[in-house]
Amino acid sequence: MDLRHRLHLAGRSLLAILDRETHFLPTGGWQVSHDLGRWWDAVLRLEDSIGFKIPPELEQASLRNLRTLTDNAASMLINNPAIPQLEGKCQLTLHNFRESLIAFGGLIKWRDNAWARESAMKLVRAMNDALRPNGSLDVAKIKSWSGLPLTTDPSHAAGSSEGWFDCTATTGRSLEALVWLFESTHEPEIHHLADRIAQHHLEHTTNRDGSMRSEIIDPENVGHNHSYLGTLRGLLLFGLLTKKEEYVKFVEATYRNAVRQHIVMESGWTPHDLGKLRFPNDEGDPLNDPASSGDSAQLALWLALHTGAVDLFDDVERIVRARLLPSQITEDDIQKYPEHDFTEREIGAWGICVASHATKSCTPDIVASVAHTLCDVYNHIYTKSKAGISVNLHFDQEDDDVTIHSTRDHRAKLSVRIKQPCDLKIRLPRWAPRETIEITVDGTKSPLRIEGGFARIARDKLRANSEAVLSYELPTRMTEERMPSGKSYRFQWRGDEITGIDPQDGPLTFYPSMPNQS
């Protein structure tokens, strides 16, 4: 399973969404300024993770565009009325706190860009000044940033002066970006703002027992799943940064209860909307959002890496194999759907899905978001420490330390070749039948020693270029998922991959039809 190739496809799609006719602004998405912030975050992560090449012409143009779209008193990404093609599309969107900060943060971390640092601090100070003690935002101060009207989108509202309100789509989603920005700059003002936002959302967005906050899913609340999950991610990162266990425990409980039980289904399906149904498909179900599926996988990844919750690596791999990779447009789709004239921007893309389990497309901010998640997954296929190497995920990887290769035919097989002797641990999927697990070292069957969910091979059993091979059967099973509309889908699984679905959605399907089904 080669994630590197899938990431290269995503990168080429991101380059193709820049339109030469509009001076390389990202086109075909929800909002140009929003998509530009996501674009910067994704391409810089792709460059860092897999060495993806950003053409100098596109990088220079995108930096000019970023300067233009943040040319306001707060240095926030806002559609600029000075650009002719944006005329009539210019409102102040507080949703873009995060997109502005991740663009600046990426340029600081990977380009050491002084202008980006100055701009980021300007926005942080403006946010700190506008943030009221109750977590709402001072609209009068915000409007002074650009002179533009505030967006009318109810999910991006500034919050009220009294009572509960949902600000996951404004301040909540910005928290993880603030943590990353602080880690790159160590500026106290950033930490202060992050602390204020984190305190509010710990109290108002989560419950101590991990249950779903009832106000979030109230049918009258206009909620946005990607922002809600982004807020949880930010709370976790803030807890890890500050070593405040309360945040970490709240988020893990919320992931295991609210996210697993109420938001993300086993297949990886997750809605765009929380609470009020704003964008239903023809069957009355919410549109599916691959970015939110990715958010869930990345949240599980961080919990597994930093809290010892190794069972959650199973969630990561299942969401990647069962949802994120099947919903990406690849070269195989060109052969499968010759009647569909795929464009350059579509190959490698993800998009908002109209059908629950079909309808591949290209939505620029979704492409960037899923690419962000998969970069993080790719970077943590294995981890290295003084204790040795731990293979966390059964995907391909090759570098100076290891060569990992995953194949699945009649059995699953994971080959791990280490370049130098060390203690080696390989994660055992919890769903793999224990009696079928075998491990060999340099072709010789080895006793299975299990420690904390991993098969452990001691250093003295390995030499330079030794190969350990873990293999196990891929059990089949059937599951059923009921959608909010009441419609049910049956899935056939082989291990943690979906091999059949009934009924079949269309067009541009994710999975094969169920065997022996029309």
Side-chain angles (χ1 to χ4, degrees), residues 334-499:
I334 299 175
Q335 305 299 321
K336 186 176 179 181
Y337 301 103
E339 71 282 2
H340 188 104
D341 187 18
F342 289 102
T343 63
E344 185 179 7
R345 63 186 283 140
E346 289 179 302
I347 304 301
W350 292 268
I352 290 291
C353 310
V354 177
S356 296
H357 301 287
T359 321
K360 301 183 184 184
S361 62
C362 175
T363 309
D365 60 339
I366 306 298
V367 182
S369 184
V370 180
H372 171 128
T373 292
L374 289 182
C375 281
D376 204 13
V377 170
Y378 181 80
N379 291 343
H380 293 97
I381 291 172
Y382 82 93
T383 46
K384 184 180 179 182
S385 68
K386 291 180 180 178
I389 286 175
S390 295
V391 179
N392 306 312
L393 300 164
H394 294 202
F395 299 123
D396 293 0
Q397 174 71 282
E398 182 170 9
D399 59 19
D400 292 339
D401 295 312
V402 297
T403 298
I404 303 171
H405 185 55
S406 171
T407 56
R408 290 186 174 184
D409 38 52
H410 66 286
R411 284 170 64 88
K413 185 169 76 171
L414 187 74
S415 164
V416 181
R417 188 177 295 277
I418 60 167
K419 306 300 173 68
Q420 295 297 329
C422 66
D423 281 345
L424 175 64
K425 297 198 300 182
I426 305 174
R427 180 179 61 88
L428 302 174
R430 292 201 170 196
W431 49 262
R434 284 295 182 266
E435 68 276 8
T436 73
I437 297 174
E438 295 180 357
I439 194 160
T440 63
V441 176
D442 295 325
T444 301
K445 189 172 180 179
S446 177
L448 183 63
R449 294 185 173 89
I450 301 176
E451 293 183 7
F454 288 76
R456 180 179 179 272
I457 306 169
R459 177 191 180 102
D460 60 8
K461 304 295 183 183
L462 300 165
R463 50 185 167 72
N465 293 313
S466 274
E467 181 188 33
V469 177
L470 176 74
S471 66
Y472 47 90
E473 286 186 3
L474 294 162
T476 59
R477 61 191 174 98
M478 300 288 292
T479 63
E480 185 171 337
E481 294 179 357
R482 180 175 290 272
M483 304 299 293
S485 67
K487 181 177 181 178
S488 290
Y489 289 90
R490 291 192 310 126
F491 297 93
Q492 179 174 281
W493 292 80
R494 186 167 181 259
D496 54 3
E497 295 177 288
I498 295 173
T499 56

Side-chain angles (χ1 to χ4, degrees), residues 113-305:
N113 188 297
W115 167 82
R117 185 180 182 119
E118 179 183 343
S119 300
M121 293 310 301
K122 189 190 294 186
L123 177 55
V124 166
R125 290 172 187 133
M127 290 173 65
N128 246 325
D129 184 50
L131 185 63
R132 292 178 170 138
N134 77 329
S136 65
L137 294 156
D138 189 323
V139 173
K141 289 182 176 178
I142 290 170
K143 285 184 176 179
S144 70
W145 296 350
S146 66
L148 292 171
L150 202 64
T151 178
T152 56
D153 188 321
S155 71
H156 303 168
S160 61
S161 57
E162 56 186 46
W164 185 92
F165 53 87
D166 183 357
C167 54
T168 56
T170 56
T171 59
R173 63 186 277 113
S174 74
L175 182 55
E176 62 180 352
L178 288 166
V179 172
W180 291 325
L181 192 63
F182 176 76
E183 289 173 337
S184 293
T185 65
H186 303 288
E187 290 282 358
E189 290 172 282
I190 301 172
H191 193 287
H192 176 65
L193 177 59
D195 193 14
R196 295 179 68 197
I197 291 173
Q199 288 184 49
H200 173 86
H201 284 281
L202 188 70
E203 180 180 353
H204 296 282
T205 303
T206 67
N207 287 329
R208 181 177 295 274
D209 64 359
S211 60
M212 192 74 204
R213 186 89 188 205
S214 60
E215 298 95 332
I216 295 283
I217 55 174
D218 187 293
E220 296 304 312
N221 180 57
V222 182
H224 180 234
N225 194 16
H226 179 50
S227 295
Y228 170 74
L229 291 170
T231 301
L232 294 180
R233 287 157 42 120
L235 288 170
L236 176 58
L237 290 179
F238 183 77
L240 293 170
L241 172 72
T242 59
K243 296 181 171 56
K244 292 183 177 180
E245 283 297 315
E246 183 180 28
Y247 286 91
V248 178
K249 289 178 179 178
F250 269 45
V251 174
E252 181 174 356
T254 304
Y255 175 81
R256 291 187 180 278
N257 188 335
V259 175
R260 265 182 163 180
Q261 303 299 323
H262 298 284
I263 296 180
V264 182
M265 294 186 180
E266 187 178 16
S267 68
W269 181 91
T270 185
H272 176 275
D273 302 328
L274 289 180
K276 188 179 183 65
L277 181 56
R278 300 177 70 194
F279 306 107
N281 63 18
D282 291 342
E283 294 172 326
D285 286 316
L287 302 183
N288 170 248
D289 179 11
S292 293
S293 302
D295 291 334
S296 172
Q298 202 165 7
L299 192 56
L301 178 68
W302 295 343
L303 287 166
L305 289 168

